[in-house]
Amino acid sequence: MALTNAEKVRLHRERQKAKKQEDLKKPSSPSDLFQKPFYEFFPVDEQVGSSFAQSLELCGISPPLIEDDSGPEAVTLDTLESPSEEGGHSNPFGSSKGTSLGRAEVTVGCLIEAARDLAIQIRDYKKSEIEARIGEIEASDLSDPDARKRAFEEAARLRKLLDEFDKQLRLSFPTWKA
């Protein structure tokens, strides 16, 4: 059965749309797209005065200055000894390997992961301490009505505090990888 004109147009548009989607998914070479090295765009004198450096210095961390176009593999303290399935070593940096831009991207990802893990450790510590205080209240002598009332109020306050730690915090970041 022959296609109607409307069906032919619809199929043509679908093919065009599919072709556009394929073109968008094709990775362009970063060297074609990002020609100026990142360390030239964000020079060391700007890095030192940036919020990035100041925030790290405030918590006692010396900020990693990006002074040349070396990638994250040039400065990592990890031995990178994790073998891949092919018997060689895997590349934990993926396409970020080999450039100052890649180093900056890896830094952002690592800082986010470090902050996430530290937040988990802090949360777990605080929860365990609050649970210990609740346990102390439950084990205390509650024969006096006033002491029992204060203990129940304090236990309720502590349980409410515990509930806060079950929530997730959402932070917004500009997209740095595409």
Side-chain angles (χ1 to χ4, degrees), residues 5 10 76 92 95 106 116 140 146 166:
N5 194 35
R10 183 181 51 79
T76 185
S95 63
V106 167
R116 181 183 170 283
S140 66
D146 287 337
D166 290 334

Side-chain angles (χ1 to χ4, degrees), residues 9-177:
V9 170
R10 183 181 51 79
L11 289 172
H12 177 71
R13 287 186 180 155
E14 286 176 2
R15 284 192 303 270
Q16 284 180 327
K17 186 177 180 181
K19 186 178 181 222
K20 277 186 182 180
Q21 291 296 330
E22 286 178 29
D23 289 344
L24 287 175
K25 290 180 183 177
K26 286 182 184 175
S28 57
S29 169
S31 61
D32 294 341
L33 200 56
F34 307 114
Q35 295 179 356
K36 182 178 185 177
F38 181 72
Y39 77 96
E40 289 179 8
F41 175 79
F42 190 37
V44 173
D45 58 332
E46 287 185 30
Q47 291 177 45
V48 170
S50 69
S51 293
F52 162 69
Q54 291 175 357
S55 296
L56 290 175
E57 289 171 348
L58 187 62
C59 67
I61 299 171
S62 180
L65 299 178
I66 302 172
E67 302 171 301
D68 55 30
D69 209 25
S70 61
E73 68 281 356
V75 295
T76 185
L77 301 177
D78 195 336
T79 59
L80 304 176
E81 294 295 325
S82 58
S84 68
E85 292 178 14
E86 297 85 37
H89 294 290
S90 64
N91 173 15
F93 305 119
S95 63
S96 298
K97 187 177 177 181
T99 65
S100 56
L101 177 60
R103 182 174 168 199
E105 291 173 345
V106 167
T107 300
V108 170
C110 290
L111 288 171
I112 290 170
E113 186 57 32
R116 181 183 170 283
D117 186 57
L118 184 57
I120 288 170
Q121 297 301 323
I122 292 168
R123 180 206 59 203
D124 291 350
Y125 164 76
K126 287 183 174 184
K127 284 177 75 171
S128 70
E129 287 295 306
I130 292 169
E131 288 167 350
R133 298 304 79 78
I134 292 172
E136 290 171 2
I137 290 171
E138 290 172 349
S140 66
D141 180 26
L142 300 176
S143 57
D144 180 35
D146 287 337
R148 181 180 13 222
K149 181 181 177 188
R150 283 191 304 274
F152 283 144
E153 288 173 353
E154 180 65 8
R157 184 183 75 79
L158 292 174
R159 282 194 172 81
K160 197 175 211 179
L161 200 55
L162 267 179
D163 290 341
E164 286 295 312
F165 290 113
D166 290 334
K167 296 178 181 177
Q168 294 290 315
L169 180 64
R170 292 185 185 181
L171 300 173
S172 297
F173 293 96
T175 300
W176 69 93
K177 281 188 149 187

